[in-house]
Amino acid sequence: MPPSNRRRSAARPAPELNEAAQLADQLQQAGYTKRDIARIINRDASLVSQFYTKHKGAAFVPALRHALAAATTGGITEVSELAALAAPHITRRTTASGARARVRSKAVLITPTGTGTGRVAAQAIASGSARLRPLLAEAARQNLKLAFTVRLAKTGYVHPSGSRTDSPGIRRDVIQRPDHSEERSYGSATTGGFDATDFARRVDAVGGDVTAAVHQWLVESGRIHSGAHITHLEVRTWRPR
């Protein structure tokens, strides 16, 4: 009987991790999750996963080194403090000519009049709405006002639809969705909004998680139940007169 022509598949060696992935591994060994690491570098958690799958992260190596040193030898354990230490060491990628590479992202722009809008849905919500954090930080720096719209299941709200106790001076009517969820708006340029500096502090207090900060405010103000889950979030800013 002729020998089989089939080749035995040789075990492929595991791909070598780049330095960003190695540092992320060391931070995870120190007790931090990929989501924590994403907060430390002020990016989405999906980018941290791409350190391993797509060999990205070279621009974050200096920041990750400083964060790791602070966490393992400097005794600094709070994610928000590590993020503050890492921020000055995050550099932009460069092209072959040495110019700064363009970043493909949904940039949040605040105009000279203070108008800015940021919107996130389910996937970004799950990672703490990280892309909204720069908007809040810049709005706080400029002492702007802000309003926001949240979407969650109808049963998650404490007050019935259209209640003025829930959202006095809403920017637009409550929007009913076919999946039994509702969008409700809080604050407006006409009736008054919230101080961006206050919300930026709230975000910092929960390690940069914008979703958690908004959820906490809604619970504390008696608008939603503690177990309610935000599925969409929009933030709008403007300059007070």
Side-chain angles (χ1 to χ4, degrees), residues 47-115:
L47 176 61
V48 178
S49 296
Q50 291 176 28
F51 293 174
Y52 300 88
T53 60
K54 297 184 178 180
H55 307 291
K56 293 188 176 182
F60 302 99
V61 166
L64 290 169
R65 285 178 185 157
H66 279 80
L68 180 63
T72 56
T73 63
I76 299 173
T77 58
E78 291 296 324
V79 171
S80 58
E81 294 182 24
L82 294 175
L85 289 172
H89 303 285
I90 295 175
T91 58
R92 287 273 296 277
R93 290 183 299 109
T94 57
T95 63
S97 64
R100 281 192 174 187
R102 290 186 176 183
V103 176
R104 292 176 294 176
S105 64
K106 296 181 179 178
V108 179
L109 173 69
I110 294 181
T111 69
T113 62
T115 302

Side-chain angles (χ1 to χ4, degrees), residues 144-157:
L144 303 180
K145 291 286 188 179
L146 64 81
F148 55 90
T149 295
V150 296
R151 178 177 170 185
L152 51 102
K154 293 179 183 179
T155 55
Y157 293 102

